[in-house]
Amino acid sequence: MMIRNAKQSDAPHIAAYLLLAMEDIVYDFIGTADRNKALNFLHYFTARKGNQYSYQHCRVAEIEGKVQAAVSVYDGAMLDILREPVAEYIREVLEKDFNPGAETAAGEYYIDSLGVDPVLQGKGIGAAMLQHLIEEYAHQQGHTLGLLVDKDNPAAKRLYLRLGFEPVGKKQFAGKMLEHLQYIPRK
């Protein structure tokens, strides 16, 4: 398995894997539980620069030449700037109000979404991607990593805790109360 920075040509794969991680949230954003519309929405953004879902902020896991997982991570201080193209699209194209709340803030690099091909889930790919991010952002650069986890996903929370993430509070996001976890580099 090779974990690498995503390329624009990876956008369709990134969209599919990010949708696995945030399906209900995307459906809420676009106002319908239509999977094809949700994929199109995410593909629109994953293929473009300058937004929170852009390939620029993603890493992919490639196995035997095929993208099998994707993770989106960005500086929490950039949330408002990176979210604005998404918010504008939802307001102007989809004609919906958009104010899901802030899932991150300055002081952490935020792991927005992580998705693995369902056939390969449970085989350590997600853990390897998280370890890659921990090494790059926390150990090499000294940044705190943050993420949100849903109480309805205890397996994900166990993985995060096993990798060294710690609970730091709760955050209201997109109508749900989620647990905020951080990996804080030790000096």
Side-chain angles (χ1 to χ4, degrees):
M1 175 174 59
M2 176 178 68
I3 297 171
R4 62 169 173 79
N5 291 337
K7 301 179 284 194
Q8 189 173 25
S9 60
D10 297 321
H13 302 291
I14 296 166
Y17 296 130
L18 296 188
L19 183 59
L20 290 173
M22 54 188 283
E23 198 165 15
D24 291 341
I25 291 170
V26 174
Y27 293 158
D28 183 55
F29 286 0
I30 66 173
T32 179
D34 183 313
R35 188 172 192 288
N36 287 329
K37 287 182 180 178
L39 277 171
N40 289 337
F41 170 81
L42 281 174
H43 183 252
Y44 178 85
F45 288 105
T46 58
R48 285 170 173 70
K49 294 181 178 181
N51 70 81
Q52 70 190 106
Y53 306 120
S54 173
Y55 69 92
Q56 295 172 293
H57 306 291
C58 293
R59 305 294 186 287
V60 295
E62 209 175 87
I63 301 170
E64 297 178 5
K66 185 173 185 232
V67 173
Q68 301 287 6
V71 61
S72 171
V73 60
Y74 50 83
D75 184 346
M78 299 294 294
L79 176 64
D80 290 341
I81 292 166
L82 294 174
R83 179 182 279 166
E84 186 50 36
V86 177
E88 183 178 325
Y89 181 94
I90 290 171
R91 286 190 303 264
E92 293 180 11
V93 175
L94 301 178
E95 298 177 339
K96 286 190 72 220
D97 288 334
F98 184 74
N99 187 16
E103 68 257 51
T104 186
E108 71 179 13
Y109 271 71
Y110 181 62
I111 301 171
D112 189 299
S113 302
L114 168 63
V116 177
D117 184 318
V119 173
L120 298 174
Q121 289 177 0
K123 298 189 183 306
I125 296 168
M129 293 189 82
L130 289 166
Q131 288 171 326
H132 177 86
L133 296 177
I134 289 167
E135 178 60 29
E136 179 181 345
Y137 287 96
H139 297 164
Q140 292 176 14
Q141 299 176 23
H143 296 299
T144 295
L145 280 167
L147 54 81
L148 298 179
V149 64
D150 192 325
K151 65 178 171 43
D152 295 333
N153 194 351
K157 182 177 178 181
R158 280 192 303 276
L159 171 62
Y160 303 143
L161 295 175
R162 183 170 48 86
L163 292 174
F165 284 83
E166 301 171 2
V168 294
K170 298 195 181 309
K171 286 192 181 254
Q172 182 80 23
F173 176 67
K176 291 179 117 175
M177 185 58 71
L178 303 168
E179 191 163 7
H180 185 199
L181 305 179
Q182 288 185 329
Y183 185 100
I184 303 168
R186 304 295 175 223
K187 307 274 180 199

